[in-house]
Amino acid sequence: MGEAVTGSDGAGSAVGGAAASFGGDGHRPLRVAIADDQAVVRMGLRALLDREPGMECVGEAADGAAALALMRRARPDVLLLDIRMPGMDGLATLRAIAADPELRGSRIVVVTTFAVDEYVFAALQAGASGFVLKDSAPDELANAVRVVAAGEALLSPAITRKVIGLFGRHGTEPVEGIETLTPRERELVAWVATGRSNEEIAKELVISPDTVRTHVSRAMVKLRARDRAQLVVFAMRAGLTGPP
């Protein structure tokens, strides 16, 4: 997914765990599970993960029910999840994971053949941390795994713009804690909802990336956002969608 943009903020590693604990140099490998109904896709993803330094595939599932069982058994750091599966599909799997207190901290990357469709916002609401296309380059997929494992989001500006358009049809709704945000925090949360990184936001506003990171981190705490992807969802629900 060549246009993907990742965002980083101070709360990212706190929410997602210490990213530095994954990978080489004596640290444990980043453990990844795969859920896709196509055997050839699972085979390709496993081969990619097995070649990637500091990563290991801890299991595969062909449907949502098997994926949920795999999550409970293997407790991977990241799940690569197909949305369109027979039986219990990806959205139902996301919701089941979110409803399980022991799995709520799980990081999930939706792997799809569709850049943007009606499932995208629903997947974000259900707990997805990002999206990659099945035909993404190997380094892009590996980067997606590392990004979401660190508690960050993998969202492109193109995806967020289209998701905002989809959500706009349904109007806004109350978001708990939104009234506690300062004007500056509200402004920066709106910028986050455009899919831009802290560095890109800082450049647009002519402020330092650290300033952006500080305000975004405070907003995440106030809104109890699990990660940056959930912050984007809260922003959209509250109508804080920022400039185009």
Side-chain angles (χ1 to χ4, degrees):
M1 186 172 175
E3 64 182 358
V5 176
T6 63
S8 175
D9 53 68
S13 59
V15 174
S21 65
F22 300 126
D25 300 324
H27 296 297
R28 75 172 179 84
L30 206 165
R31 305 171 73 252
V32 187
I34 301 166
D36 195 292
D37 64 324
Q38 298 181 44
V40 66
V41 173
R42 297 197 306 273
M43 184 184 304
L45 291 173
R46 176 180 276 276
L48 184 154
L49 294 171
D50 287 343
R51 291 196 305 266
E52 191 67 22
M55 289 187 192
E56 67 172 339
C57 181
V58 297
E60 302 175 18
D63 57 47
L68 189 58
L70 174 60
M71 292 292 289
R72 289 169 174 159
R73 181 178 68 253
R75 300 299 174 88
D77 301 303
V78 177
L79 172 65
L80 298 177
L81 177 67
D82 186 22
I83 285 292
R84 297 180 178 180
M85 297 186 292
M88 184 178 183
D89 66 11
L91 287 177
T93 304
L94 279 165
R95 293 180 182 120
I97 290 172
D100 188 328
E102 295 186 357
L103 298 179
R104 284 178 185 166
S106 303
R107 304 298 178 201
I108 303 170
V109 178
V110 171
V111 185
T112 180
T113 55
F114 305 91
V116 177
D117 60 21
E118 294 286 345
Y119 287 99
V120 171
F121 187 72
L124 279 174
Q125 285 185 304
S129 292
F131 301 84
V132 292
L133 297 181
K134 289 185 177 180
D135 60 357
S136 295
D139 60 335
E140 292 170 352
L141 185 60
N143 178 64
V145 170
R146 291 194 171 94
V147 164
V148 299
E152 301 171 12
L154 188 79
L155 300 167
S156 73
I159 282 180
T160 51
R161 281 196 298 271
K162 291 180 180 179
V163 170
I164 288 168
L166 291 173
F167 185 73
R169 303 173 191 171
H170 307 291
T172 61
E173 56 185 270
V175 174
E176 184 178 355
I178 199 74
E179 73 283 352
T180 68
L181 299 184
T182 67
R184 190 57 150 174
E185 288 165 356
R186 290 174 67 92
E187 177 187 21
L188 290 173
V189 167
W191 276 95
V192 168
T194 68
R196 290 172 171 84
S197 68
N198 289 343
E199 289 71 20
E200 291 169 325
I201 295 171
K203 185 176 180 180
E204 291 279 355
L205 298 180
V206 196
I207 56 179
S208 74
D210 283 344
T211 298
V212 176
R213 187 173 296 108
T214 296
H215 288 296
V216 171
S217 296
R218 289 174 180 168
M220 288 180 69
V221 170
K222 289 179 179 180
L223 298 179
R224 299 181 182 179
R226 176 189 62 252
D227 56 19
R228 197 175 178 102
Q230 191 172 46
L231 186 64
V232 170
V233 172
F234 288 163
M236 292 178 184
R237 286 171 53 191
L240 303 178
T241 53

